[in-house]
Amino acid sequence: KLLSDEGAEYKNYKLRIVGHSLGAGAGSLVALFLKHKFPQVRAVVFEPPGCTMSWNLAEESNEWCTSFVTGMDVVTRFNEKSVFVLRNEIITNLARIRVPKHVVMNKRNIDGFGIDAVKEFLSDALYPHNEIPDSPFVKSVRTFIEKTRSKENVVGLHIPGKIIHLASESFSLDVDKDKSETSDKAEVARDEETGGSDSVKKEDTREYQTCWAKREDFQYIVLSSHFLTDHLTSTICSAFQGRMKAAGLSEPYSDVLE
């Protein structure tokens, strides 16, 4: 009524829908439903769920929706297929492990456990995929994965609109490579982002770069030390503030708003 009624006070205003997380997904859909009445509506959403729109609808929404994703945020990578893939990777790695599991847990607490140490430990602790010895457990894992494989053929859902990724400069993941390597890379990612278990800080001091991203870049969940906290509004604000300062702007960033 404020925008479209006869004599509306804000008749000449443009309509923008903004939201975060579930609100981001809902906001993009609200914008879709309002387009017939407000053709100029735009959605600017932050960290929308990775199960918001079908591929075709997400592509069509490029014209009126922009999504922002921070780092390794899990919510933007969360969809039915990515959960199946993650589950299979976890149980496959349980079959690959060749050292007692308590050794793994104790190893994670060693001070100064940096990138090279992680890579070396993964090499020692896990059998290569093509060298996993047969055992009743391995056979049961393979049988389970094969029986549930058909469930992975689900309707793909995706992030809406054009995507701007606020990516940490310390880590990038090439999702086009062999997906069997994803878990190994994710373990390394944890320490690349933090510099080792002894340097994890409450305050996010990472530097970010902004870039246009492809929808397929967010099809797999990456287990890193920041995959949950990257979804927090405080992390998003920190990333944006860092980019603003890098551009020579200062709060309240009035130059951007004018």
Side-chain angles (χ1 to χ4, degrees), residues 15-28:
L15 181 60
R16 298 290 182 266
I17 309 294
V18 180
H20 169 255
S21 193
L22 181 59
S28 64

Side-chain angles (χ1 to χ4, degrees), residues 169-189:
E169 291 184 331
S170 61
F171 175 67
S172 63
L173 179 68
D174 187 351
V175 299
D176 292 326
K177 292 186 178 179
D178 184 3
K179 302 303 183 299
S180 66
E181 299 178 1
T182 301
S183 295
D184 297 353
K185 292 180 180 178
E187 290 297 321
V188 176

Side-chain angles (χ1 to χ4, degrees), residues 11 14 39 48 71 86 98 107 110 135 140 168 189 192 196-197 217:
K11 194 177 183 72
K14 295 179 180 179
L86 178 61
R98 54 183 169 188
K107 196 73 172 178
I110 293 179
S135 70
S140 66
S168 170
E192 284 187 342
S197 59
D217 293 341

Side-chain angles (χ1 to χ4, degrees), residues 208-228:
Y208 294 85
Q209 291 293 335
T210 50
C211 60
W212 291 107
K214 299 178 181 178
R215 224 173 300 286
E216 51 267 31
D217 293 341
F218 304 95
Q219 291 304 292
Y220 299 93
I221 295 171
V222 180
L223 299 182
S224 80
S225 60
H226 293 279
F227 82 130
L228 294 176

Side-chain angles (χ1 to χ4, degrees), residues 57-247:
L57 184 55
E59 287 291 298
E60 291 177 12
S61 69
N62 285 347
E63 298 181 4
W64 45 267
C65 179
T66 302
S67 293
F68 289 86
V69 177
T70 307
M72 296 292 110
D73 173 45
V74 64
V75 173
T76 52
R77 295 168 169 82
F78 191 90
N79 57 64
E80 192 171 2
K81 184 174 182 179
S82 70
V83 171
F84 278 129
V85 170
L86 178 61
R87 178 205 62 190
N88 288 348
E89 286 182 347
I90 290 173
I91 61 176
T92 297
N93 280 338
L94 287 176
R96 291 177 62 197
I97 195 165
R98 54 183 169 188
V99 298
K101 295 174 180 58
H102 70 85
V103 173
V104 178
M105 298 305 296
N106 290 335
K107 196 73 172 178
R108 298 300 301 163
N109 296 324
I110 293 179
D111 290 339
F113 196 39
I115 301 169
D116 293 336
V118 173
K119 292 179 179 179
E120 181 180 354
F121 181 66
L122 288 176
S123 177
D124 294 338
L126 299 177
Y127 288 106
H129 284 271
N130 59 352
E131 296 179 13
I132 302 175
D134 283 334
S135 70
F137 176 71
V138 170
K139 290 179 180 178
S140 66
V141 166
R142 288 172 176 164
T143 300
F144 174 79
I145 292 177
E146 190 61 34
K147 285 183 177 180
T148 58
R149 192 175 300 280
S150 61
K151 295 182 180 180
E152 295 182 20
N153 297 322
V154 296
V155 175
L157 294 175
H158 306 274
I159 303 171
K162 294 180 290 186
I163 304 169
I164 296 178
H165 190 197
L166 291 135
S168 170
E169 291 184 331
S170 61
F171 175 67
S172 63
L173 179 68
D174 187 351
V175 299
D176 292 326
K177 292 186 178 179
D178 184 3
K179 302 303 183 299
S180 66
E181 299 178 1
T182 301
S183 295
D184 297 353
K185 292 180 180 178
E187 290 297 321
V188 176
R190 188 191 341 270
D191 286 87
E192 284 187 342
E193 289 182 341
T194 63
S197 59
D198 60 339
S199 62
V200 179
K201 300 179 178 64
K202 291 183 179 180
E203 182 182 356
D204 185 2
T205 58
R206 291 172 294 166
E207 294 185 2
Y208 294 85
Q209 291 293 335
T210 50
C211 60
W212 291 107
K214 299 178 181 178
R215 224 173 300 286
E216 51 267 31
D217 293 341
F218 304 95
Q219 291 304 292
Y220 299 93
I221 295 171
V222 180
L223 299 182
S224 80
S225 60
H226 293 279
F227 82 130
L228 294 176
T229 56
D230 277 348
H231 190 69
L232 299 177
T233 53
S234 58
T235 303
I236 301 170
C237 287
S238 175
F240 268 96
Q241 288 171 348
R243 296 309 302 145
M244 291 293 190
K245 290 178 181 178

